[in-house]
Amino acid sequence: MLDVKRLKKDPEIIVDNLKRRGFEFDLDQWISLESARKSLQSDTENLQAELNDISKEIGISKKEGTDSSKLEKKAGVLTSAIKSQSKELTSLLKEIDSFISSVPNLIDDDVPQGKDEEDNLELRTYGKIRDFDFTPKDHLELGSHLKSIDMESGVKITGARFAVLNGELARLQRSLINFMLDIHTKEHNYQEVYVPYLVNKESLFGTGQLPKFEEDLFKLEGKENFYLASTAEVPVTNLFRDEILNSDILPAKLVCHTPCFRSEAGSYGLDTKGIMRLHQFEKVELVQAVEEKDSDKALEELTRHAEEILKRLELPYRVVSLCSGDIGFSAAKTYDLEVWIPSQERYREISSCSNFRDFQARRMKARWKNPSTNKTELLNTLNGSGLALSRTLLAIMENFQQKDGSIAIPEVLRDYFGSDKIKH
RNA sequence: GGAGAGAUGGCAGAGUGGUCGAAUGCGCACGCUUGGAAAGCGUGUAAGGUGUUAAAGCCUUCGAGGGUUCGAAUCCCUCUCUCUCCGCCA
């Protein structure tokens, strides 16, 4: 959520910033809503203050046994006036709330200007793209040779965009999960958490998936109307919702492996082959909550933590800074890690690392107590995939494939996996 | 699923219609004391909004929402959650 105080102080800066994303902020509407609210609210509060005084007097008068009927009559008039005014005020506040909570975050100054994916800025590349002395197969072809990616069964059990992994590939995924969690907990100092995969509206509002992006989510029917979490970001970051953290636990660094469920509405026709884009996939997620002054540094650090996984898996990748038109609703700045996919001869997203600054924290009232000022301040939240499992699996299959259709296992994974290759 | 009991500040815990945002204890911060510490003593210590150079002041919040009343932590209704017992269960 935007800082309303800042919006009052320098509205032009905010309007311009939002314009970079392609978001038109209706300043006139905002000003008229705000000024209406201000006068209505202060009027109502004044009436309430008056009523509070009179009620107090009535109390004293009753105790003393003197006649208070005149005061009570006066108070009755005030009460009904307050009732009708506060009804009006409540609906106005609701309107303002839905207006402001549909506005995306401000982007950092160094976010590259652009319209879409094409304008993202490549920052660095890592690793050598392999020169195949044969025509590389795509992961689905490799997987069906190995009888390990079974799309038909996914369709039978559930429907399109669900997959079944068999045998060694299922085991490879499990090895990868353990490998990633070990690196992040033992070397990068994250604490592992296990969280619910079903989340409520409040949690989704906190991280910014609601109210604007409900169509991307799976929603349960029934009494509760829970949603399937589209990313561990939702349950994990919401651990800080409505909390005031002690400064000594900052920076808070959490890592979590969960399945992710996405309806992928609007992506029909995209990546329909194989396990590139599924309704259900596994992910290891990094989440940090830090003081405002540390959040720039934290984004760089968190991104390096995600990159480290790719490096150790010997997968060629690049880092791009998402441009103003491609960056997500809640993010102030995002680095995507893109891994090389031989069958497509291009880099594809495998991790997205974002700094949300205080945008999510304001929505979810995630705060910390600053001991030097003794004031509560909003946290800054960040997260990044470290990494998305199905795409890691896919990348290993394609990048490590051998001429005979077998797949070599990256060195660091061999102990976890228990073998150095998946035979044809 | 059935029966019962609860939900109050960082924590524990009082408060059953009126100057209650809330006693008390613990914790925490500062000061006194001390060679230093502990103990002891004293002072302070919720969040949000509004306002101000800053403050004061004012409004809201005692699980959530609604109601009764001049006035609600306290009474009534609905919901959520927690605990105990019984049943079922990985």
Side-chain angles (χ1 to χ4, degrees), chain A residues 60-297:
Chain A
I60 293 165
S61 156
K62 293 241 167 178
K63 207 171 236 173
E64 289 170 349
T66 55
D67 177 41
S68 60
S69 56
K70 256 189 195 159
L71 286 172
E72 283 178 42
K73 204 168 185 185
K74 201 171 160 194
V77 175
L78 273 173
T79 302
S80 59
I82 289 169
K83 253 181 198 159
S84 74
Q85 275 208 19
S86 54
K87 203 171 262 176
E88 223 177 297
L89 181 63
T90 305
S91 82
L92 186 56
L93 287 174
K94 229 177 232 169
E95 197 180 335
I96 289 175
D97 201 53
S98 80
F99 178 90
I100 202 76
S101 55
S102 299
V103 178
N105 199 2
L106 301 179
I107 51 176
D108 285 0
D109 290 340
D110 59 354
V111 167
Q113 185 61 40
K115 225 173 78 209
D116 54 32
E117 207 179 327
E118 301 299 310
D119 300 321
N120 293 340
L121 178 69
E122 181 178 291
L123 298 176
R124 54 185 177 269
T125 61
Y126 182 91
K128 205 171 146 257
I129 290 167
R130 186 175 151 197
D131 223 352
F132 287 91
D133 56 5
F134 57 93
T135 309
K137 300 184 173 74
D138 71 33
H139 73 283
L140 192 58
E141 209 175 329
L142 289 161
S144 47
H145 276 176
L146 301 160
K147 296 196 176 17
S148 51
I149 296 181
D150 182 356
M151 300 309 291
E152 290 76 17
S153 291
V155 170
K156 180 173 73 181
I157 295 166
T158 310
R161 289 198 194 274
F162 286 88
V164 170
L165 303 181
N166 279 306
E168 288 178 302
L169 206 57
R171 181 154 54 97
L172 182 58
Q173 171 162 278
R174 180 159 55 86
S175 314
L176 279 165
I177 293 166
N178 284 334
F179 166 70
M180 291 180 193
L181 286 172
D182 281 348
I183 301 286
H184 294 314
T185 55
K186 291 176 186 166
E187 298 185 33
H188 298 154
N189 280 319
Y190 288 75
Q191 179 172 338
E192 186 173 352
V193 285
Y194 170 83
V195 295
Y197 305 153
L198 301 184
V199 294
N200 59 29
K201 270 201 179 72
E202 289 73 21
S203 296
L204 288 159
F205 179 83
T207 35
Q209 279 78 10
L210 288 182
K212 282 191 99 172
F213 306 101
E214 180 158 23
E215 71 279 5
D216 295 336
L217 301 165
F218 287 110
K219 186 179 187 177
L220 299 187
E221 285 184 1
K223 201 174 132 210
E224 298 289 0
N225 289 143
F226 291 138
Y227 295 80
L228 295 175
S230 53
T231 158
E233 165 191 358
V234 179
V236 176
T237 310
N238 273 281
L239 288 169
F240 305 119
R241 173 153 54 91
D242 293 320
E243 298 289 335
I244 301 176
L245 302 185
N246 224 313
S247 63
D248 57 13
I249 70 162
L250 298 179
K253 296 163 66 176
L254 303 173
V255 61
C256 187
H257 157 242
T258 68
C260 304
F261 302 92
R262 299 188 180 175
S263 80
E264 295 295 338
S267 65
Y268 305 109
L270 278 180
D271 302 313
T272 47
K273 250 177 102 179
I275 60 171
M276 190 71 179
R277 188 179 298 275
L278 297 169
H279 288 313
Q280 172 186 325
F281 63 97
E282 302 298 300
K283 186 155 61 72
V284 169
E285 184 78 0
L286 304 171
V287 172
Q288 291 200 25
V290 304
E291 299 175 26
E292 185 182 9
K293 67 174 172 55
D294 296 331
S295 80
D296 285 310
K297 197 182 72 198

